[in-house]
Amino acid sequence: MVEFRDYHGLQVQQNHRFQTWEWTLQRVGWIVMALAVLLSLAGFAGPGPVSHNTTQSPDGSYQITYAKYWRQRKPFTLEVQVKPEAASGGKVRLMLSQDYLDLVDIERITPEPSKSELQDSWQTYEFDAAAGKEPVTISFHLEPQSYGVGSGQVGPEGAQPLEIKHFIFP
Amino acid sequence: MDAVLRSLAVYVFIFVVFRLAGKRTFAELTPFDFILLLIVAESTQQALLGDDFSLTNAFIIIITLVSFDIGLSLLKRQFPKLDMLLEGLPVVVMENGALLQPQARKSRVDEEDVLTQARVQHGLERLEQIKFAVLERNGGISVIPHEGEAP
C-alpha cells in the first residue's frame, strides 16, 4: 500500500516492494525497446535487409519481388520478372487477384499497360513486350491500405500464380 | 472512431515509453532532452492526423486526449494504487551528504545532479550541507538542507 513513512524524520510516500518491481520493469522495458530497434533495423517493420522477399514460380518462368514486412500507407514496389520465353506474341499479360487489390492501392504501373480487364475476380493487365533475350520486368507501385496479415495471388496468364503474403504494421 | 482510437493509441504508447525511460528523462530539459521532445512531437503529429487535415479531426483528437487526461486524473484520485503505478513514488537518494545505494544508482542520480539542485534551490556549496535529497515523481530533485545551512 502507499503510505507516508517516516524516513529518519522525513515524511515521504514509500513502498520498497513496488520500487524494486518498478526498477526491474524499467530494465525489462529497456531490453524490449532495444530489441524493437534491432528488429526495425533488420527490416521486420519496414525497409531493411529482411523486409523484401523474392519468390519464383515452380516452372521458373517468372519471379516476384515484393515487400513482405511493411507499413500501412507506405508505398512499395512489387516487381514481376518474366522470362522472355514466357512472353508470347509480343505481349505479357499479368493477373492480380481481387483480394490482393482489396489490400493495396495501385499508384502506378511501370511500364504502362496497354490494356486492363476485370474478369472472374481477377484484374488482368496487358503489356507490350518486344521479343528479346532479357527478362521483362513490370513494376507495380503499390500502397497498403489496411494493416495486418494479407495475401493475394499474382502471376502471368496461363501460369500458376504465386501467393503474395504481407505483414503490414499499422 | 479512427481519430479517437489513433489518439488514444499514441497517448498510451508515449506514456508507456516515457514511463519505462524513467523519471530522469525530460526532468531538467538539457539541450538533448529538448531536441528529443521536439522530435517526438513531430513524429507523433503525422500518426495522429493521418491524411485527414480537417478541423473536425484536430478537434476530436484534442478533446479525446484532454478527456482521457481528466478521466485518468479522476481515477488516480479514486485509486491510490493506480496513481502509484502510473506516476511512481518519490525516492530518497541522499542522506547527510552521502548517496543512498542502490536507490541512487537505479534512479541514475549522481552527486553532481544533487549539487546542481542544491545550488539552484538553496545556494548551498557542499554536500555536507544537505540533509536529504529526494527524486520526486516528476523527475526533479528536491534538496532539504540541514537547519541553518540555507543562506
Side-chain angles (χ1 to χ4, degrees):
Chain A
M1 263 310 293
V2 183
E3 50 194 58
F4 286 101
R5 295 249 172 95
D6 188 286
Y7 182 83
H8 302 174
L10 183 69
Q11 194 175 16
V12 63
Q13 279 182 325
Q14 297 233 68
N15 185 318
H16 181 69
R17 246 181 82 188
F18 169 81
Q19 199 56 71
T20 313
W21 172 84
E22 187 188 57
W23 285 328
T24 308
L25 187 67
Q26 272 178 1
R27 274 136 186 88
V28 168
W30 296 352
I31 293 169
V32 168
M33 287 196 277
L35 277 174
V37 171
L38 288 172
L39 288 173
S40 302
L41 278 170
F44 282 105
V50 303
S51 60
H52 281 66
N53 194 30
T54 299
T55 181
Q56 204 168 49
S57 64
D59 60 5
S61 60
Y62 72 99
Q63 69 179 31
I64 302 179
T65 304
Y66 63 99
K68 188 171 178 182
Y69 302 102
W70 210 246
R71 296 175 211 152
Q72 188 183 12
R73 296 210 189 115
K74 185 173 170 60
F76 71 95
T77 304
L78 182 138
E79 250 181 32
V80 184
Q81 224 177 48
V82 182
K83 288 226 171 100
E85 39 279 18
S88 56
K91 302 265 180 225
V92 171
R93 286 169 65 84
L94 284 184
M95 298 173 67
L96 282 75
S97 63
Q98 189 58 49
D99 54 1
Y100 190 67
L101 293 172
D102 291 339
L103 190 68
V104 296
D105 259 6
I106 300 180
E107 302 279 289
R108 71 179 191 280
I109 306 171
T110 314
E112 288 251 349
S114 53
K115 208 160 86 173
S116 70
E117 299 164 0
L118 181 63
Q119 192 184 8
D120 294 335
S121 73
W122 288 88
Q123 180 81 42
T124 306
Y125 294 96
E126 189 175 283
F127 303 87
D128 295 326
K133 293 192 180 137
E134 297 296 319
V136 176
T137 301
I138 293 148
S139 303
F140 291 86
H141 302 276
L142 308 171
E143 190 176 287
Q145 292 305 301
S146 54
Y147 56 86
V149 181
S151 63
Q153 293 184 313
V154 176
E157 194 177 51
Q160 190 183 341
L162 291 171
E163 201 198 13
I164 306 298
K165 198 169 186 181
H166 294 291
F167 297 88
I168 307 291
F169 286 87
Chain B
M1 184 183 86
D2 190 48
V4 172
L5 294 178
R6 284 165 82 93
S7 41
L8 287 178
V10 171
Y11 185 110
V12 169
F13 180 79
I14 294 176
F15 179 82
V16 168
V17 169
F18 283 9
R19 189 77 176 86
L20 289 174
K23 297 185 185 76
R24 296 299 293 155
T25 308
F26 303 117
E28 266 132 35
L29 274 191
T30 61
F32 178 77
D33 297 328
F34 185 63
I35 293 165
L36 195 58
L37 257 181
L38 272 178
I39 293 174
V40 168
E42 281 303 303
S43 308
T44 56
Q45 181 233 329
Q46 201 57 51
L48 280 173
L49 294 179
D51 52 8
D52 184 346
F53 302 115
S54 63
L55 278 176
T56 307
N57 193 38
F59 292 164
I60 292 172
I61 290 168
I62 292 164
I63 290 175
T64 302
L65 292 174
V66 172
S67 303
F68 189 63
D69 204 55
I70 294 169
L72 260 187
S73 68
L74 291 172
L75 276 176
K76 282 191 290 183
R77 284 170 65 91
Q78 195 65 32
F79 301 104
K81 268 195 174 175
L82 180 68
D83 186 26
M84 183 174 73
L85 183 70
L86 294 179
E87 303 286 355
L89 291 175
V91 180
V92 183
V93 291
M94 181 177 276
E95 187 182 3
N96 294 327
L99 282 177
L100 297 172
Q101 304 294 2
Q103 294 92 313
R105 194 182 69 249
K106 292 262 171 106
S107 305
R108 293 175 285 150
V109 172
D110 61 18
E111 271 138 356
E112 194 47 51
D113 294 327
V114 178
L115 272 172
T116 305
Q117 289 307 308
R119 288 191 292 266
V120 167
Q121 292 173 22
H122 301 289
L124 299 180
E125 295 167 358
R126 304 194 59 78
L127 285 173
E128 294 78 38
Q129 295 172 292
I130 297 171
K131 188 174 177 186
F132 292 112
V134 180
L135 175 62
E136 302 294 353
R137 301 196 316 167
N138 64 1
I141 297 172
S142 47
V143 172
I144 297 146
H146 280 294
E147 282 88 14
E149 289 287 3

